Amino acid sequence: MNAELTATENQIKDYRLKLGDKIRIVREQRGYSQEQLAELMNINRSTISKIENGKFSITVDYLVRFSIFLDYEFKVVEK
Amino acid sequence: MNAELTATENQIKDYRLKLGDKIRIVREQRGYSQEQLAELMNINRSTISKIENGKFSITVDYLVRFSIFLDYEFKVVEK
DNA sequence: AATTTATAGCGTTGCCCCCGCTGTTTAATT
DNA sequence: AATTAAACAGCGGGGGCAACGCTATAAATT
């Protein structure tokens, strides 16, 4: 049942979950419910829920939207 | 013909283009052609070309793949 | 109980694959 | 120098499937 994942696939999965957690944490820090943030961002509430729970991989466009409305910064930096 | 863009849409567009540039620059720093990197990442060369030119918004999964194979880090940081 | 969140199903859109063609640059050969 | 070949990148289009919208309902948290 459980397909083996490559190291790369594991890193991708891990990052997806960590990003969802991060978004949830920041949203709560800002005092928004999912519904409030959804309305503010003009996207669907269920989409926010799915993103926070890592149900799919969001596009960078959405990442930027979160960064705008949560006042966060997403950066590409040297290791 | 030219649709007006909201401030948010402009920021999204700008980020997409900047990200494409960044990927191109790092790829070249690493000494890869688009074809070499595509083979390494096991994705399509035209996809890399389109990403570098901001033709569509990639998913975070792909962003993580780039960060792995170009040895870059993608971070969520405070402003 | 009221509010918030998770999840499921279904429809639409667009990401990404794959192939092919073109234009440009650089290298090799004559 | 001129020609040819090869490497590289941009771009277009058809197709498959996952992202995301929408609605409804269940579950969880307070």
Side-chain angles (χ1 to χ4, degrees):
Chain A
M1 189 69 90
N2 271 328
E4 291 293 330
L5 296 184
T6 65
T8 297
E9 287 168 336
N10 275 319
Q11 289 182 69
I12 289 173
K13 191 176 175 184
D14 286 350
Y15 192 90
R16 186 192 287 195
L17 292 174
K18 273 182 12 184
L19 179 61
D21 284 342
K22 187 72 180 177
I23 287 174
R24 171 183 284 114
I25 289 168
V26 178
R27 173 178 61 79
E28 290 173 347
Q29 282 176 356
R30 303 294 185 257
Y32 297 131
S33 67
Q34 288 181 352
E35 186 155 15
Q36 288 171 330
L37 181 59
E39 189 170 354
L40 189 62
M41 295 177 67
N42 200 30
I43 71 176
N44 201 270
R45 188 187 55 74
S46 75
T47 299
I48 292 184
S49 173
K50 288 169 187 171
I51 289 169
E52 288 185 355
N53 290 284
K55 300 300 183 188
F56 57 83
S57 179
I58 66 174
T59 60
V60 171
D61 283 5
Y62 274 77
L63 208 53
V64 173
R65 266 188 236 184
F66 277 105
S67 77
I68 293 170
F69 289 99
L70 291 178
D71 197 36
Y72 246 71
E73 195 169 3
F74 296 89
K75 266 194 178 176
V76 179
V77 296
E78 294 279 1
K79 265 189 177 170
Chain B
M1 188 68 90
N2 272 326
E4 290 295 328
L5 295 184
T6 66
T8 297
E9 287 169 335
N10 275 319
Q11 288 181 70
I12 289 172
K13 191 176 176 184
D14 286 350
Y15 192 90
R16 187 192 284 195
L17 293 174
K18 273 182 13 185
L19 179 61
D21 284 341
K22 186 73 180 176
I23 287 173
R24 171 185 287 115
I25 288 168
V26 178
R27 172 179 62 78
E28 289 174 348
Q29 281 176 356
R30 303 294 184 257
Y32 297 131
S33 68
Q34 288 181 351
E35 187 155 15
Q36 288 171 332
L37 181 59
E39 189 171 354
L40 188 63
M41 295 178 66
N42 199 31
I43 71 175
N44 202 273
R45 183 192 65 80
S46 76
T47 299
I48 293 183
S49 171
K50 288 167 184 170
I51 289 170
E52 288 184 353
N53 289 285
K55 299 301 182 188
F56 55 81
S57 179
I58 65 174
T59 61
V60 171
D61 283 4
Y62 273 78
L63 207 54
V64 173
R65 268 186 235 182
F66 276 106
S67 76
I68 292 170
F69 289 99
L70 291 179
D71 196 36
Y72 245 70
E73 194 170 2
F74 191 77
K75 265 194 178 176
V76 180
V77 296
E78 295 278 1
K79 265 189 178 171

